[in-house]
Amino acid sequence: MTGAPPAVAGRVAVIGGGPGGLYAAALLKRHEPGREITLWERNAPDDTFGFGVVLSDETLGGIESADPEVFAALRRELVRWDDIDVVHRGTTLRSGGHGFAALGRHRLLELLHERCRDLGVRLRFRTEAPPAAELARTHDLLVAADGVHSRTRDTHRDAFRPTLTTHRCRYIWLAADLPLDAFRFEIAETEHGVMQLHAYPFGGGACTVIVEMRDEVWRRAGLDRCDEKDAAERCGAYFADFLGGRPLRSNQSAWTAFRTVVNERWSHGNTVLIGDAAHTAHFSIGSGTKLAVEDALALAGCLRDTPALPDALRAYEELRRPAVASTQRAARASLEWFENLSGHVERPPYRFAFDLLTRSRRVTHDNLRLRDAGFVAAVEAEAGIPPGTPPMFTPFRLRGLTLRNRVVVSPMDMYSARGGTPGDFHLVHLGARALGGAALVMTEMVCVSARGRITPGCTGLYAPEHEDAWRRITGFVHEQAPGTAIGVQLGHSGRKGSTRLMWEGIDQPLPEGNWPLVAASPLPYHPGVSQTPEALTAAGLAAVRDDFVRSAEAADRAGFDLLELHCAHGYLLSGFLSPLTNHRDDAYGGTLAGRLRYPLEVFDAVRAVWPAHKPMTVRVSATDWADGGTGADDAVAIARAFAEHGADAIDVSTGQVVPDERPAFGRSYQVPFADRIRHEASVPVIAVGAISSWDDVNSLILAGRADLCALARPHLYDPNWTLHAAADQGYTGPGAPWPAPYRAGSRKPPTGRSA
């Protein structure tokens, strides 16, 4: 017989008496009753900030499994509801099937205090914790649950490497004695600007009320000069109809700007961060207490199951980090939606409500239809979508070109041309995707000169043989996939040219046979590695502009239906737009107007020769993802300028302008930029960037965030992606006709046979 393994971390210190710290202490003591656990909280036991907290069914399930006694106590207190009310300009729209559970924060803390005392955790209230370094020396484990302003995190900043981002809205936590049976979002359009209210029940006939607005609205309203009592009264006046004469009450309430906390590491030696000390996620997705409690569950479980402390802390972080990152991406999308609320309020009521409900990308068109089919049907009816037609299969018109659905095969460099000439590979590649149901198939970036190529494998439109080869491809598309449009993307590599094929070393110079580069300024892409380009002179600017014009004329003769000017990703025209790559001191540099001058000159010259009935779009990088570079405000101004010059749509991408960028990758992560451009610049947009499912496309189109969706990798995985999306949704209408030879495959084959 062998004895039980020794307990990991026999002596534990916990800093912070919020739900995360208390529950971590309780679970650690429950798993190992012999542990000595002390928790420090500088406030009194009955002090608490805020009012109600929301817990998900997933979190409650974890609590039930780990500690049935706490779960039973919580279950007796929880208020449950399924509905969300969205109030838009006096119209209240209700969506059901969402499922929430909440209780008062004060009551939650009381239950956790009782549980800790029953288990033998020492609770030291009204007591500042000793310094983190001292506790780490005198204990086996230090759990830092000391919140968004964590002193522990700051003490070991070099180890945890935190990034703290302060956002653009101010908010305040209040409450009202008002019974609600739904989560409520309400908008107040005031003389100072748009304000929003988030409210939900938490028991005893009371509800939490959060009032939020942009910082500039808060200042214009004079709320920055109000004390706590005045702030509650002023907020009550803005939402008087909702409150029905009831006052808003506060509880040490203060206006706050939300801060997103991200740490590169969550543990250092025997010190570990949980809850807001490790990460924060905006309250609009109801995640703060949920994340802290789930951290406590994971940490206690890893310490129970892993014999060595370093391994247990590593396991905890590996287990929690993916879930937290996903939540933070959703929360970031949600908070940015509310930051830009003024750009959404003009939408019709149902589309506004749908946009709000799907803002974080966690609730989608299909998911919401499962929850409340009637609500989604009302949204689609308001948008004019025929019954039984998924939003992605509605037509869209650009000048004289009508696209039968909203799916675009995004430009994808194939690096498979010889001397700029597309060959059989391109015929099969583009032809297969044209047969696959997308409304518009785009070429890769087609270069306007030999020196404008990225690699020796890039296609061009600067020689007669190129034009002939492209005509063969467009002819196939028009003859074999009638109704499918094919577009050409024209560009010049600028400082990113003369490099190897992608799979031989992306952005790496050719080992031999390099050609000279030109750019806005003589700045190499990779300093010390890349070739230094020559800054374009007046003569060079004119010559490159004329190259674009000749290629556009050839594209028309070759039979293309649409032309896109590539002004993104750090290539030549993009290099003029970004202040990071344009250091010119002439008329083509300096201010944004100066940096726009040359791309607009090229656009105007191309538009002048491109047939009037054919649409022309522009791809831009809406942000450089780098300090000092192009940002979202610039992107709106850039898009507006191109639209004023005749662009029919803006293809909104991001980044790839400088190598030290820091993109915020995630599902549909570039869509908010497209959404903002669409509404502020009043121009149709093509959304791109990690849009991978037909559900995403339906959601974006119906919400009004995009007019078209361009997908790249999904079309590499499945050339028939659009047709399969139609089959998956049971759609057989005109937005996705199967080619006659393929009709026998229009139904998904069975995957197996039962005996």
Side-chain angles (χ1 to χ4, degrees), residues 54-88:
V54 179
L55 297 173
S56 70
D57 287 341
E58 178 186 17
T59 306
L60 292 169
I63 294 172
E64 181 179 20
S65 175
D67 193 340
E69 291 185 39
V70 168
F71 175 76
L74 286 174
R75 186 169 56 182
R76 290 191 292 269
E77 306 283 343
L78 289 172
V79 175
R80 289 186 176 273
W81 71 98
D82 290 320
D83 297 329
I84 296 176
D85 284 345
V86 178
V87 184
H88 179 264

PDB file of all heavy atoms in Angstrom, residues 54-88:
ATOM      1  N   VAL A  54     -23.269  38.349 -13.085  1.00  0.00           N
ATOM      2  CA  VAL A  54     -23.870  37.361 -13.977  1.00  0.00           C
ATOM      3  C   VAL A  54     -22.945  36.158 -14.068  1.00  0.00           C
ATOM      4  O   VAL A  54     -21.727  36.305 -14.243  1.00  0.00           O
ATOM      5  CB  VAL A  54     -24.098  37.963 -15.388  1.00  0.00           C
ATOM      6  CG1 VAL A  54     -24.691  36.925 -16.327  1.00  0.00           C
ATOM      7  CG2 VAL A  54     -25.016  39.182 -15.297  1.00  0.00           C
ATOM      8  N   LEU A  55     -23.518  34.965 -13.959  1.00  0.00           N
ATOM      9  CA  LEU A  55     -22.760  33.718 -14.098  1.00  0.00           C
ATOM     10  C   LEU A  55     -23.385  32.883 -15.201  1.00  0.00           C
ATOM     11  O   LEU A  55     -24.611  32.786 -15.303  1.00  0.00           O
ATOM     12  CB  LEU A  55     -22.772  32.932 -12.785  1.00  0.00           C
ATOM     13  CG  LEU A  55     -22.103  33.615 -11.585  1.00  0.00           C
ATOM     14  CD1 LEU A  55     -22.344  32.808 -10.322  1.00  0.00           C
ATOM     15  CD2 LEU A  55     -20.614  33.804 -11.825  1.00  0.00           C
ATOM     16  N   SER A  56     -22.550  32.271 -16.008  1.00  0.00           N
ATOM     17  CA  SER A  56     -23.050  31.439 -17.096  1.00  0.00           C
ATOM     18  C   SER A  56     -23.363  30.039 -16.593  1.00  0.00           C
ATOM     19  O   SER A  56     -22.893  29.606 -15.527  1.00  0.00           O
ATOM     20  CB  SER A  56     -22.015  31.355 -18.216  1.00  0.00           C
ATOM     21  OG  SER A  56     -20.905  30.577 -17.800  1.00  0.00           O
ATOM     22  N   ASP A  57     -24.134  29.300 -17.379  1.00  0.00           N
ATOM     23  CA  ASP A  57     -24.417  27.906 -17.035  1.00  0.00           C
ATOM     24  C   ASP A  57     -23.133  27.083 -17.014  1.00  0.00           C
ATOM     25  O   ASP A  57     -22.992  26.155 -16.203  1.00  0.00           O
ATOM     26  CB  ASP A  57     -25.403  27.309 -18.042  1.00  0.00           C
ATOM     27  CG  ASP A  57     -26.821  27.842 -17.843  1.00  0.00           C
ATOM     28  OD1 ASP A  57     -27.112  28.373 -16.746  1.00  0.00           O
ATOM     29  OD2 ASP A  57     -27.627  27.742 -18.777  1.00  0.00           O
ATOM     30  N   GLU A  58     -22.185  27.425 -17.902  1.00  0.00           N
ATOM     31  CA  GLU A  58     -20.904  26.709 -17.927  1.00  0.00           C
ATOM     32  C   GLU A  58     -20.167  26.894 -16.608  1.00  0.00           C
ATOM     33  O   GLU A  58     -19.635  25.934 -16.019  1.00  0.00           O
ATOM     34  CB  GLU A  58     -20.053  27.222 -19.091  1.00  0.00           C
ATOM     35  CG  GLU A  58     -18.683  26.572 -19.184  1.00  0.00           C
ATOM     36  CD  GLU A  58     -17.833  27.207 -20.265  1.00  0.00           C
ATOM     37  OE1 GLU A  58     -18.159  28.330 -20.711  1.00  0.00           O
ATOM     38  OE2 GLU A  58     -16.835  26.597 -20.659  1.00  0.00           O
ATOM     39  N   THR A  59     -20.120  28.134 -16.118  1.00  0.00           N
ATOM     40  CA  THR A  59     -19.450  28.409 -14.848  1.00  0.00           C
ATOM     41  C   THR A  59     -20.152  27.700 -13.700  1.00  0.00           C
ATOM     42  O   THR A  59     -19.510  27.093 -12.832  1.00  0.00           O
ATOM     43  CB  THR A  59     -19.420  29.920 -14.583  1.00  0.00           C
ATOM     44  OG1 THR A  59     -18.840  30.578 -15.711  1.00  0.00           O
ATOM     45  CG2 THR A  59     -18.620  30.241 -13.342  1.00  0.00           C
ATOM     46  N   LEU A  60     -21.475  27.761 -13.678  1.00  0.00           N
ATOM     47  CA  LEU A  60     -22.230  27.100 -12.616  1.00  0.00           C
ATOM     48  C   LEU A  60     -22.020  25.593 -12.638  1.00  0.00           C
ATOM     49  O   LEU A  60     -21.949  24.946 -11.583  1.00  0.00           O
ATOM     50  CB  LEU A  60     -23.711  27.440 -12.749  1.00  0.00           C
ATOM     51  CG  LEU A  60     -24.067  28.905 -12.456  1.00  0.00           C
ATOM     52  CD1 LEU A  60     -25.496  29.205 -12.884  1.00  0.00           C
ATOM     53  CD2 LEU A  60     -23.873  29.218 -10.969  1.00  0.00           C
ATOM     54  N   GLY A  61     -21.896  25.038 -13.851  1.00  0.00           N
ATOM     55  CA  GLY A  61     -21.624  23.611 -13.943  1.00  0.00           C
ATOM     56  C   GLY A  61     -20.280  23.253 -13.339  1.00  0.00           C
ATOM     57  O   GLY A  61     -20.132  22.214 -12.674  1.00  0.00           O
ATOM     58  N   GLY A  62     -19.274  24.116 -13.564  1.00  0.00           N
ATOM     59  CA  GLY A  62     -17.969  23.877 -12.952  1.00  0.00           C
ATOM     60  C   GLY A  62     -18.026  23.953 -11.447  1.00  0.00           C
ATOM     61  O   GLY A  62     -17.403  23.147 -10.737  1.00  0.00           O
ATOM     62  N   ILE A  63     -18.806  24.904 -10.918  1.00  0.00           N
ATOM     63  CA  ILE A  63     -18.961  25.027  -9.468  1.00  0.00           C
ATOM     64  C   ILE A  63     -19.674  23.800  -8.906  1.00  0.00           C
ATOM     65  O   ILE A  63     -19.279  23.254  -7.866  1.00  0.00           O
ATOM     66  CB  ILE A  63     -19.735  26.314  -9.123  1.00  0.00           C
ATOM     67  CG1 ILE A  63     -18.909  27.548  -9.509  1.00  0.00           C
ATOM     68  CG2 ILE A  63     -20.105  26.349  -7.645  1.00  0.00           C
ATOM     69  CD1 ILE A  63     -19.660  28.855  -9.383  1.00  0.00           C
ATOM     70  N   GLU A  64     -20.713  23.353  -9.586  1.00  0.00           N
ATOM     71  CA  GLU A  64     -21.466  22.180  -9.113  1.00  0.00           C
ATOM     72  C   GLU A  64     -20.564  20.960  -9.021  1.00  0.00           C
ATOM     73  O   GLU A  64     -20.639  20.181  -8.056  1.00  0.00           O
ATOM     74  CB  GLU A  64     -22.632  21.901 -10.058  1.00  0.00           C
ATOM     75  CG  GLU A  64     -23.487  20.723  -9.626  1.00  0.00           C
ATOM     76  CD  GLU A  64     -24.652  20.474 -10.551  1.00  0.00           C
ATOM     77  OE1 GLU A  64     -24.611  20.948 -11.705  1.00  0.00           O
ATOM     78  OE2 GLU A  64     -25.608  19.783 -10.131  1.00  0.00           O
ATOM     79  N   SER A  65     -19.680  20.794 -10.010  1.00  0.00           N
ATOM     80  CA  SER A  65     -18.786  19.642 -10.009  1.00  0.00           C
ATOM     81  C   SER A  65     -17.715  19.753  -8.925  1.00  0.00           C
ATOM     82  O   SER A  65     -17.388  18.767  -8.268  1.00  0.00           O
ATOM     83  CB  SER A  65     -18.122  19.513 -11.390  1.00  0.00           C
ATOM     84  OG  SER A  65     -17.172  18.478 -11.401  1.00  0.00           O
ATOM     85  N   ALA A  66     -17.185  20.966  -8.731  1.00  0.00           N
ATOM     86  CA  ALA A  66     -16.073  21.138  -7.797  1.00  0.00           C
ATOM     87  C   ALA A  66     -16.522  21.277  -6.354  1.00  0.00           C
ATOM     88  O   ALA A  66     -15.802  20.885  -5.426  1.00  0.00           O
ATOM     89  CB  ALA A  66     -15.250  22.369  -8.199  1.00  0.00           C
ATOM     90  N   ASP A  67     -17.695  21.869  -6.131  1.00  0.00           N
ATOM     91  CA  ASP A  67     -18.119  22.169  -4.763  1.00  0.00           C
ATOM     92  C   ASP A  67     -19.647  22.211  -4.713  1.00  0.00           C
ATOM     93  O   ASP A  67     -20.266  23.275  -4.793  1.00  0.00           O
ATOM     94  CB  ASP A  67     -17.542  23.516  -4.331  1.00  0.00           C
ATOM     95  CG  ASP A  67     -17.672  23.747  -2.832  1.00  0.00           C
ATOM     96  OD1 ASP A  67     -18.513  23.080  -2.202  1.00  0.00           O
ATOM     97  OD2 ASP A  67     -16.950  24.606  -2.306  1.00  0.00           O
ATOM     98  N   PRO A  68     -20.300  21.041  -4.567  1.00  0.00           N
ATOM     99  CA  PRO A  68     -21.767  20.996  -4.578  1.00  0.00           C
ATOM    100  C   PRO A  68     -22.419  21.865  -3.517  1.00  0.00           C
ATOM    101  O   PRO A  68     -23.531  22.367  -3.715  1.00  0.00           O
ATOM    102  CB  PRO A  68     -22.071  19.507  -4.347  1.00  0.00           C
ATOM    103  CG  PRO A  68     -20.841  18.785  -4.797  1.00  0.00           C
ATOM    104  CD  PRO A  68     -19.703  19.695  -4.460  1.00  0.00           C
ATOM    105  N   GLU A  69     -21.748  22.080  -2.379  1.00  0.00           N
ATOM    106  CA  GLU A  69     -22.351  22.887  -1.325  1.00  0.00           C
ATOM    107  C   GLU A  69     -22.480  24.349  -1.748  1.00  0.00           C
ATOM    108  O   GLU A  69     -23.512  24.997  -1.519  1.00  0.00           O
ATOM    109  CB  GLU A  69     -21.538  22.765  -0.043  1.00  0.00           C
ATOM    110  CG  GLU A  69     -21.621  21.374   0.593  1.00  0.00           C
ATOM    111  CD  GLU A  69     -20.902  21.325   1.935  1.00  0.00           C
ATOM    112  OE1 GLU A  69     -20.998  22.318   2.688  1.00  0.00           O
ATOM    113  OE2 GLU A  69     -20.249  20.312   2.220  1.00  0.00           O
ATOM    114  N   VAL A  70     -21.418  24.891  -2.382  1.00  0.00           N
ATOM    115  CA  VAL A  70     -21.493  26.273  -2.870  1.00  0.00           C
ATOM    116  C   VAL A  70     -22.531  26.373  -3.975  1.00  0.00           C
ATOM    117  O   VAL A  70     -23.319  27.323  -4.033  1.00  0.00           O
ATOM    118  CB  VAL A  70     -20.116  26.755  -3.367  1.00  0.00           C
ATOM    119  CG1 VAL A  70     -20.245  28.069  -4.146  1.00  0.00           C
ATOM    120  CG2 VAL A  70     -19.180  26.949  -2.183  1.00  0.00           C
ATOM    121  N   PHE A  71     -22.565  25.376  -4.839  1.00  0.00           N
ATOM    122  CA  PHE A  71     -23.541  25.404  -5.932  1.00  0.00           C
ATOM    123  C   PHE A  71     -24.964  25.408  -5.382  1.00  0.00           C
ATOM    124  O   PHE A  71     -25.821  26.177  -5.851  1.00  0.00           O
ATOM    125  CB  PHE A  71     -23.346  24.198  -6.841  1.00  0.00           C
ATOM    126  CG  PHE A  71     -24.388  24.097  -7.922  1.00  0.00           C
ATOM    127  CD1 PHE A  71     -24.350  24.918  -9.039  1.00  0.00           C
ATOM    128  CD2 PHE A  71     -25.438  23.186  -7.805  1.00  0.00           C
ATOM    129  CE1 PHE A  71     -25.323  24.838 -10.015  1.00  0.00           C
ATOM    130  CE2 PHE A  71     -26.416  23.096  -8.781  1.00  0.00           C
ATOM    131  CZ  PHE A  71     -26.346  23.923  -9.893  1.00  0.00           C
ATOM    132  N   ALA A  72     -25.225  24.595  -4.371  1.00  0.00           N
ATOM    133  CA  ALA A  72     -26.574  24.532  -3.796  1.00  0.00           C
ATOM    134  C   ALA A  72     -26.962  25.876  -3.185  1.00  0.00           C
ATOM    135  O   ALA A  72     -28.107  26.340  -3.325  1.00  0.00           O
ATOM    136  CB  ALA A  72     -26.640  23.429  -2.746  1.00  0.00           C
ATOM    137  N   ALA A  73     -25.990  26.529  -2.528  1.00  0.00           N
ATOM    138  CA  ALA A  73     -26.271  27.833  -1.934  1.00  0.00           C
ATOM    139  C   ALA A  73     -26.542  28.878  -3.019  1.00  0.00           C
ATOM    140  O   ALA A  73     -27.455  29.710  -2.888  1.00  0.00           O
ATOM    141  CB  ALA A  73     -25.101  28.267  -1.056  1.00  0.00           C
ATOM    142  N   LEU A  74     -25.762  28.830  -4.065  1.00  0.00           N
ATOM    143  CA  LEU A  74     -25.961  29.777  -5.167  1.00  0.00           C
ATOM    144  C   LEU A  74     -27.306  29.565  -5.840  1.00  0.00           C
ATOM    145  O   LEU A  74     -28.010  30.531  -6.169  1.00  0.00           O
ATOM    146  CB  LEU A  74     -24.843  29.621  -6.206  1.00  0.00           C
ATOM    147  CG  LEU A  74     -23.465  30.169  -5.848  1.00  0.00           C
ATOM    148  CD1 LEU A  74     -22.463  29.798  -6.935  1.00  0.00           C
ATOM    149  CD2 LEU A  74     -23.509  31.685  -5.689  1.00  0.00           C
ATOM    150  N   ARG A  75     -27.647  28.325  -6.079  1.00  0.00           N
ATOM    151  CA  ARG A  75     -28.873  28.008  -6.802  1.00  0.00           C
ATOM    152  C   ARG A  75     -30.096  28.599  -6.113  1.00  0.00           C
ATOM    153  O   ARG A  75     -31.057  29.014  -6.766  1.00  0.00           O
ATOM    154  CB  ARG A  75     -29.012  26.498  -6.962  1.00  0.00           C
ATOM    155  CG  ARG A  75     -30.191  26.079  -7.823  1.00  0.00           C
ATOM    156  CD  ARG A  75     -30.115  24.614  -8.164  1.00  0.00           C
ATOM    157  NE  ARG A  75     -30.035  23.776  -6.984  1.00  0.00           N
ATOM    158  CZ  ARG A  75     -29.925  22.444  -7.020  1.00  0.00           C
ATOM    159  NH1 ARG A  75     -29.868  21.820  -8.192  1.00  0.00           N
ATOM    160  NH2 ARG A  75     -29.856  21.749  -5.905  1.00  0.00           N
ATOM    161  N   ARG A  76     -30.053  28.658  -4.774  1.00  0.00           N
ATOM    162  CA  ARG A  76     -31.187  29.223  -4.034  1.00  0.00           C
ATOM    163  C   ARG A  76     -31.295  30.733  -4.218  1.00  0.00           C
ATOM    164  O   ARG A  76     -32.352  31.316  -3.996  1.00  0.00           O
ATOM    165  CB  ARG A  76     -31.042  28.886  -2.545  1.00  0.00           C
ATOM    166  CG  ARG A  76     -31.245  27.409  -2.213  1.00  0.00           C
ATOM    167  CD  ARG A  76     -31.343  27.194  -0.718  1.00  0.00           C
ATOM    168  NE  ARG A  76     -30.092  27.462  -0.025  1.00  0.00           N
ATOM    169  CZ  ARG A  76     -29.155  26.539   0.208  1.00  0.00           C
ATOM    170  NH1 ARG A  76     -29.324  25.293  -0.208  1.00  0.00           N
ATOM    171  NH2 ARG A  76     -28.049  26.861   0.851  1.00  0.00           N
ATOM    172  N   GLU A  77     -30.216  31.373  -4.635  1.00  0.00           N
ATOM    173  CA  GLU A  77     -30.182  32.835  -4.729  1.00  0.00           C
ATOM    174  C   GLU A  77     -30.350  33.361  -6.154  1.00  0.00           C
ATOM    175  O   GLU A  77     -30.689  34.522  -6.345  1.00  0.00           O
ATOM    176  CB  GLU A  77     -28.835  33.356  -4.190  1.00  0.00           C
ATOM    177  CG  GLU A  77     -28.492  32.893  -2.796  1.00  0.00           C
ATOM    178  CD  GLU A  77     -29.278  33.654  -1.737  1.00  0.00           C
ATOM    179  OE1 GLU A  77     -29.826  34.733  -2.053  1.00  0.00           O
ATOM    180  OE2 GLU A  77     -29.349  33.173  -0.584  1.00  0.00           O
ATOM    181  N   LEU A  78     -30.114  32.508  -7.122  1.00  0.00           N
ATOM    182  CA  LEU A  78     -30.013  32.987  -8.500  1.00  0.00           C
ATOM    183  C   LEU A  78     -31.346  33.469  -9.054  1.00  0.00           C
ATOM    184  O   LEU A  78     -32.395  32.868  -8.816  1.00  0.00           O
ATOM    185  CB  LEU A  78     -29.474  31.881  -9.407  1.00  0.00           C
ATOM    186  CG  LEU A  78     -27.994  31.518  -9.241  1.00  0.00           C
ATOM    187  CD1 LEU A  78     -27.670  30.275 -10.062  1.00  0.00           C
ATOM    188  CD2 LEU A  78     -27.090  32.677  -9.655  1.00  0.00           C
ATOM    189  N   VAL A  79     -31.269  34.540  -9.806  1.00  0.00           N
ATOM    190  CA  VAL A  79     -32.383  35.019 -10.615  1.00  0.00           C
ATOM    191  C   VAL A  79     -32.082  34.621 -12.049  1.00  0.00           C
ATOM    192  O   VAL A  79     -31.002  34.895 -12.567  1.00  0.00           O
ATOM    193  CB  VAL A  79     -32.519  36.553 -10.519  1.00  0.00           C
ATOM    194  CG1 VAL A  79     -33.614  37.056 -11.456  1.00  0.00           C
ATOM    195  CG2 VAL A  79     -32.795  36.968  -9.092  1.00  0.00           C
ATOM    196  N   ARG A  80     -33.037  33.967 -12.708  1.00  0.00           N
ATOM    197  CA  ARG A  80     -32.804  33.495 -14.078  1.00  0.00           C
ATOM    198  C   ARG A  80     -33.774  34.172 -15.040  1.00  0.00           C
ATOM    199  O   ARG A  80     -34.915  34.456 -14.691  1.00  0.00           O
ATOM    200  CB  ARG A  80     -32.971  31.974 -14.166  1.00  0.00           C
ATOM    201  CG  ARG A  80     -31.857  31.190 -13.476  1.00  0.00           C
ATOM    202  CD  ARG A  80     -31.992  29.697 -13.732  1.00  0.00           C
ATOM    203  NE  ARG A  80     -30.888  28.935 -13.168  1.00  0.00           N
ATOM    204  CZ  ARG A  80     -29.744  28.695 -13.788  1.00  0.00           C
ATOM    205  NH1 ARG A  80     -29.563  29.167 -15.020  1.00  0.00           N
ATOM    206  NH2 ARG A  80     -28.792  27.989 -13.210  1.00  0.00           N
ATOM    207  N   TRP A  81     -33.280  34.411 -16.261  1.00  0.00           N
ATOM    208  CA  TRP A  81     -34.140  34.951 -17.320  1.00  0.00           C
ATOM    209  C   TRP A  81     -33.534  34.593 -18.678  1.00  0.00           C
ATOM    210  O   TRP A  81     -32.359  34.230 -18.771  1.00  0.00           O
ATOM    211  CB  TRP A  81     -34.319  36.457 -17.162  1.00  0.00           C
ATOM    212  CG  TRP A  81     -33.107  37.284 -17.473  1.00  0.00           C
ATOM    213  CD1 TRP A  81     -32.823  37.929 -18.624  1.00  0.00           C
ATOM    214  CD2 TRP A  81     -32.006  37.564 -16.586  1.00  0.00           C
ATOM    215  NE1 TRP A  81     -31.622  38.600 -18.537  1.00  0.00           N
ATOM    216  CE2 TRP A  81     -31.102  38.390 -17.293  1.00  0.00           C
ATOM    217  CE3 TRP A  81     -31.684  37.194 -15.271  1.00  0.00           C
ATOM    218  CZ2 TRP A  81     -29.910  38.847 -16.729  1.00  0.00           C
ATOM    219  CZ3 TRP A  81     -30.501  37.658 -14.724  1.00  0.00           C
ATOM    220  CH2 TRP A  81     -29.636  38.473 -15.436  1.00  0.00           C
ATOM    221  N   ASP A  82     -34.342  34.667 -19.710  1.00  0.00           N
ATOM    222  CA  ASP A  82     -33.928  34.229 -21.045  1.00  0.00           C
ATOM    223  C   ASP A  82     -33.910  35.339 -22.089  1.00  0.00           C
ATOM    224  O   ASP A  82     -33.365  35.149 -23.172  1.00  0.00           O
ATOM    225  CB  ASP A  82     -34.873  33.133 -21.568  1.00  0.00           C
ATOM    226  CG  ASP A  82     -34.722  31.829 -20.815  1.00  0.00           C
ATOM    227  OD1 ASP A  82     -33.572  31.473 -20.509  1.00  0.00           O
ATOM    228  OD2 ASP A  82     -35.740  31.192 -20.535  1.00  0.00           O
ATOM    229  N   ASP A  83     -34.503  36.471 -21.789  1.00  0.00           N
ATOM    230  CA  ASP A  83     -34.754  37.465 -22.829  1.00  0.00           C
ATOM    231  C   ASP A  83     -33.794  38.644 -22.760  1.00  0.00           C
ATOM    232  O   ASP A  83     -33.266  38.990 -21.691  1.00  0.00           O
ATOM    233  CB  ASP A  83     -36.189  37.990 -22.714  1.00  0.00           C
ATOM    234  CG  ASP A  83     -37.218  36.893 -22.945  1.00  0.00           C
ATOM    235  OD1 ASP A  83     -36.923  35.968 -23.724  1.00  0.00           O
ATOM    236  OD2 ASP A  83     -38.304  36.958 -22.333  1.00  0.00           O
ATOM    237  N   ILE A  84     -33.622  39.268 -23.922  1.00  0.00           N
ATOM    238  CA  ILE A  84     -32.901  40.532 -24.044  1.00  0.00           C
ATOM    239  C   ILE A  84     -33.836  41.526 -24.716  1.00  0.00           C
ATOM    240  O   ILE A  84     -34.406  41.233 -25.775  1.00  0.00           O
ATOM    241  CB  ILE A  84     -31.611  40.386 -24.879  1.00  0.00           C
ATOM    242  CG1 ILE A  84     -30.615  39.460 -24.179  1.00  0.00           C
ATOM    243  CG2 ILE A  84     -30.971  41.751 -25.121  1.00  0.00           C
ATOM    244  CD1 ILE A  84     -29.362  39.195 -24.994  1.00  0.00           C
ATOM    245  N   ASP A  85     -34.005  42.690 -24.099  1.00  0.00           N
ATOM    246  CA  ASP A  85     -34.771  43.781 -24.691  1.00  0.00           C
ATOM    247  C   ASP A  85     -33.808  44.819 -25.244  1.00  0.00           C
ATOM    248  O   ASP A  85     -32.887  45.269 -24.531  1.00  0.00           O
ATOM    249  CB  ASP A  85     -35.675  44.444 -23.651  1.00  0.00           C
ATOM    250  CG  ASP A  85     -36.899  43.615 -23.319  1.00  0.00           C
ATOM    251  OD1 ASP A  85     -37.206  42.679 -24.074  1.00  0.00           O
ATOM    252  OD2 ASP A  85     -37.539  43.901 -22.288  1.00  0.00           O
ATOM    253  N   VAL A  86     -34.023  45.201 -26.475  1.00  0.00           N
ATOM    254  CA  VAL A  86     -33.250  46.275 -27.106  1.00  0.00           C
ATOM    255  C   VAL A  86     -34.219  47.405 -27.408  1.00  0.00           C
ATOM    256  O   VAL A  86     -35.198  47.215 -28.132  1.00  0.00           O
ATOM    257  CB  VAL A  86     -32.565  45.798 -28.397  1.00  0.00           C
ATOM    258  CG1 VAL A  86     -31.812  46.951 -29.055  1.00  0.00           C
ATOM    259  CG2 VAL A  86     -31.613  44.634 -28.104  1.00  0.00           C
ATOM    260  N   VAL A  87     -33.948  48.564 -26.832  1.00  0.00           N
ATOM    261  CA  VAL A  87     -34.818  49.723 -27.026  1.00  0.00           C
ATOM    262  C   VAL A  87     -34.131  50.674 -27.996  1.00  0.00           C
ATOM    263  O   VAL A  87     -33.034  51.173 -27.722  1.00  0.00           O
ATOM    264  CB  VAL A  87     -35.119  50.437 -25.698  1.00  0.00           C
ATOM    265  CG1 VAL A  87     -36.113  51.578 -25.925  1.00  0.00           C
ATOM    266  CG2 VAL A  87     -35.660  49.451 -24.673  1.00  0.00           C
ATOM    267  N   HIS A  88     -34.774  50.894 -29.134  1.00  0.00           N
ATOM    268  CA  HIS A  88     -34.200  51.745 -30.187  1.00  0.00           C
ATOM    269  C   HIS A  88     -35.217  52.808 -30.570  1.00  0.00           C
ATOM    270  O   HIS A  88     -36.251  52.510 -31.160  1.00  0.00           O
ATOM    271  CB  HIS A  88     -33.837  50.888 -31.404  1.00  0.00           C
ATOM    272  CG  HIS A  88     -33.267  51.674 -32.547  1.00  0.00           C
ATOM    273  ND1 HIS A  88     -34.040  52.108 -33.603  1.00  0.00           N
ATOM    274  CD2 HIS A  88     -32.011  52.087 -32.797  1.00  0.00           C
ATOM    275  CE1 HIS A  88     -33.274  52.755 -34.461  1.00  0.00           C
ATOM    276  NE2 HIS A  88     -32.039  52.762 -33.996  1.00  0.00           N
TER     277      HIS A  88
END
